Amino acid sequence: MKPARQCSVPKCEQAVHSRGWCGRHYAHNRIYGTPFTSCRTCGDPVRKGSGKRFYCSDECLPTCRVDDCVNPVRGGDDVCGTHQMQLRRFGEIRPLAWASEWVCVVCGVAVEKGSGRRRHCSVNCQALASRWKNARPTEFTCHLCGRTQSLLRMSGSKLQRTDTKWCKECGRDSPKVKRFVLYGVTPERYAEAMASGCEICGRTDVPLHVDHDHSCCDQRGGSAATCGDCVRGFLCGSCNRAIGLLKDDITTLGRAIEYLSKSR
């Protein structure tokens, strides 16, 4: 008995049905005008049952044409399965709703897997992202000097916080920032006071202290900051301690003046 001829399509071991092709490739030729689907990468026939339609093997699969996507294509649109679903559902490729990496979008620190979060490392960062509607600001204005600074620089392993109030030059713990926070005294006002000197003894060679009315703001529920309107002036350390030890009592101060006058 004469052995059956093998299909002329490469890598096909089926017997010839008609015109040198097996039944499957003959039917494919009648429907599509070609006996087989060629791999878009190497040109070899795509085997039936391989789970692929346009590529013969995993080695021939190119990556998705969408930027920053390294997944292999899964359809005829040269996109991966995720982006192919977007094309079918919306007719366009949309940005991914979730972050592609486990990194906090607010502070830049790595998010712990299994924490139940992916875009935020903590509740605080999640609240900040909600406040900015997921559009993280890229700059801020210093509350003291008014200069605009970038929020994109790294502080250790994290991005600079979006609720930053003071620039690096002013410094959160600097004396001028503390005077501004506690008493509302600007650097310009303090510079004028230093030029004038202590309002009691007139000294200009020592740093001046901000003197305020303790009866006004020391009874406001323990708040460290004052209202700013109760600032009385600027005194040197000695004069400030002196009126503090006398408890700001005018009568006691008057008696002290009389006492010093008698001793002369």
Side-chain angles (χ1 to χ4, degrees):
M1 184 176 177
K2 208 177 198 183
R5 287 191 302 160
Q6 187 175 338
C7 179
S8 61
V9 175
K11 299 182 181 180
C12 181
E13 299 177 355
Q14 300 297 321
V16 170
H17 171 73
S18 179
R19 295 189 180 182
W21 303 313
C22 65
R24 180 170 62 86
H25 290 120
Y26 176 75
H28 195 284
N29 182 71
R30 292 190 61 182
I31 297 172
Y32 301 105
T34 177
F36 56 84
T37 302
S38 300
C39 176
R40 293 187 175 182
T41 301
C42 66
D44 289 346
V46 178
R47 291 185 295 106
K48 185 178 181 180
S50 63
K52 301 174 179 62
R53 185 178 178 185
F54 301 98
Y55 302 95
C56 62
S57 62
D58 292 335
E59 289 74 14
C60 290
L61 283 174
T63 56
C64 180
R65 61 181 171 85
V66 179
D67 294 339
D68 300 329
C69 182
V70 295
N71 296 325
V73 298
R74 293 299 180 192
D77 299 313
D78 294 333
V79 294
C80 63
T82 300
H83 292 114
Q84 187 181 46
M85 181 182 64
Q86 290 185 0
L87 285 174
R88 291 176 179 176
R89 181 176 298 180
F90 307 110
E92 62 179 356
I93 295 176
R94 297 185 175 183
L96 293 177
W98 291 94
S100 58
E101 299 179 354
W102 293 77
V103 177
C104 180
V105 296
V106 176
C107 64
V109 70
V111 179
E112 182 181 358
K113 294 185 178 180
S115 63
R117 303 183 180 89
R118 185 163 185 173
R119 292 174 57 87
H120 314 100
C121 64
S122 63
V123 177
N124 293 334
C125 286
Q126 187 174 359
L128 283 174
S130 177
R131 183 188 307 170
W132 299 111
K133 300 187 184 302
N134 289 326
R136 191 184 195 278
T138 59
E139 59 185 17
F140 75 100
T141 301
C142 180
H143 288 200
L144 184 61
C145 64
R147 289 179 292 186
T148 301
Q149 302 286 328
S150 174
L151 284 172
L152 299 180
R153 66 182 183 183
M154 298 293 290
S155 177
S157 61
K158 298 182 179 181
L159 288 173
Q160 193 168 355
R161 293 182 61 90
T162 55
D163 56 352
T164 304
K165 297 181 179 179
W166 321 105
C167 65
K168 188 176 181 180
E169 288 74 15
C170 292
R172 181 179 61 181
D173 298 324
S174 63
K176 57 184 178 181
V177 169
K178 291 182 178 180
R179 279 193 296 267
F180 182 75
V181 172
L182 294 177
Y183 309 109
V185 176
T186 62
E188 293 77 15
R189 182 181 177 186
Y190 185 76
E192 294 176 358
M194 284 294 297
S196 301
C198 175
E199 297 186 23
I200 293 179
C201 67
R203 292 186 63 181
T204 58
D205 58 337
V206 292
L208 299 181
H209 296 250
V210 180
D211 177 47
H212 73 285
D213 187 359
H214 294 268
S215 62
C216 172
C217 293
D218 278 5
Q219 299 176 357
R220 300 193 312 152
S223 175
T226 67
C227 62
D229 296 331
C230 58
V231 174
R232 295 183 295 200
F234 300 87
L235 307 175
C236 66
S238 300
C239 295
N240 189 39
R241 286 191 296 271
I243 63 174
L245 291 172
L246 294 176
K247 299 181 180 180
D248 296 350
D249 190 350
I250 298 178
T251 303
T252 304
L253 287 170
R255 292 174 181 175
I257 294 174
E258 292 178 0
Y259 171 77
L260 292 174
S261 300
K262 290 179 182 178
S263 61
R264 291 186 179 181

